Amino acid sequence: MVDQASSAIVVGAGGHGRVVIDALYKCEIEITGIVDPSLAEQDSVFGVPVLGDDAWFDDRSTTEGLLYNGVGANPDLKRRQNIYVSLTNKGWQFGQLVHPFSSVGMDVELGDGVQLMAGVVVQAGTQIGENVVVNTGALIDHDCIIGRHCFISPGVNMCGTVSVGSAAFIGAGATILPGVEVPSGCVIGAGSVVTRSLAGKGIYVGNPARLMRSRQ
């Protein structure tokens, strides 16, 4: 497990990236710079300088700092996941980001690169895999298991003993009832209520949530 760093490099500085930068400031973590191909070198975001595009990593030492993934989801997770996998394969490490206005219970396990944003509550016994975002105000109750690369949107209410497979996207304000299993790669629409375990990978919407379209 990689802890929060004393210095940070943020990868991507769009909407989610700016929230990451803000949280790093609140954690009093020094930010070395931003790597983002959509920004000009020597520009800055919240006073943090842009170091360059993705090629910046090619001739830099992996000891220069921990990375923080600033790429969000919409709900496509591929770019965020690819950045994480590509850079970890090159030897870089992603730090955990735990906002000081979040609450983490006892016996909680957080993987590398996990981001818990402002107002998040994670209750006792929960396991969260690498590169997962639990976004603003989401509530994760006891003994949940969240697979790697998931994106839990703002205001999600996940009851106890829920299991979510890898690379799932849970939309804003969705509720998942106790003991429910959500397969890998699923998308749960905003405001949906998942009342029972889902049969397969797909997009689910409504109250109760029903399959709208299967996914490959």
Side-chain angles (χ1 to χ4, degrees):
M1 183 175 70
V2 175
D3 295 326
Q4 295 188 136
S6 57
S7 62
I9 299 166
V10 179
V11 186
H16 182 70
R18 294 196 302 275
V19 176
V20 168
I21 292 168
D22 181 77
L24 287 166
Y25 274 133
K26 287 182 170 60
C27 292
E28 299 183 350
I29 296 173
E30 179 184 355
I31 310 174
T32 302
I34 297 162
V35 176
D36 189 325
S38 69
L39 299 175
E41 192 171 342
Q42 304 308 320
D43 280 354
S44 65
V45 178
F46 296 154
V48 180
V50 176
L51 303 174
D53 58 17
D54 296 341
W56 183 88
F57 291 105
D58 294 341
D59 56 357
R60 294 300 192 283
S61 167
T62 58
T63 62
E64 291 196 23
L66 291 183
L67 306 184
Y68 289 82
N69 199 338
V71 175
N74 61 342
D76 188 356
L77 292 165
K78 288 181 181 177
R79 183 163 175 258
R80 177 180 174 82
Q81 181 174 335
N82 288 344
I83 285 171
Y84 183 90
V85 171
S86 173
L87 291 173
T88 53
N89 285 343
K90 293 179 180 179
W92 292 88
Q93 292 183 307
F94 284 78
Q96 296 171 354
L97 178 55
V98 179
H99 196 285
F101 297 152
S102 64
S103 175
V104 180
M106 297 180 68
D107 199 29
V108 168
E109 297 181 15
L110 303 178
D112 298 350
V114 165
Q115 297 173 350
L116 306 182
M117 297 311 192
V120 163
V121 176
V122 180
Q123 298 287 27
T126 289
Q127 302 173 36
I128 301 179
E130 62 184 324
N131 196 38
V132 168
V133 174
V134 184
N135 222 326
T136 310
L139 308 177
I140 313 296
D141 219 302
H142 66 90
D143 300 302
C144 290
I145 299 174
I146 301 174
R148 61 183 184 169
H149 307 303
C150 289
F151 196 97
I152 313 300
S153 297
V156 166
N157 188 353
M158 191 177 297
C159 297
T161 66
V162 167
S163 177
V164 181
S166 62
F169 179 92
I170 313 298
T175 298
I176 306 178
L177 296 190
V180 164
E181 296 183 7
V182 177
S184 297
C186 278
V187 173
I188 307 300
S192 297
V193 180
V194 186
T195 60
R196 60 183 180 180
S197 296
L198 304 178
K201 183 178 178 180
I203 299 172
Y204 294 82
V205 299
N207 181 8
R210 290 186 167 85
L211 180 65
M212 184 176 73
R213 184 169 71 248
S214 295
R215 303 186 79 199
Q216 297 298 319

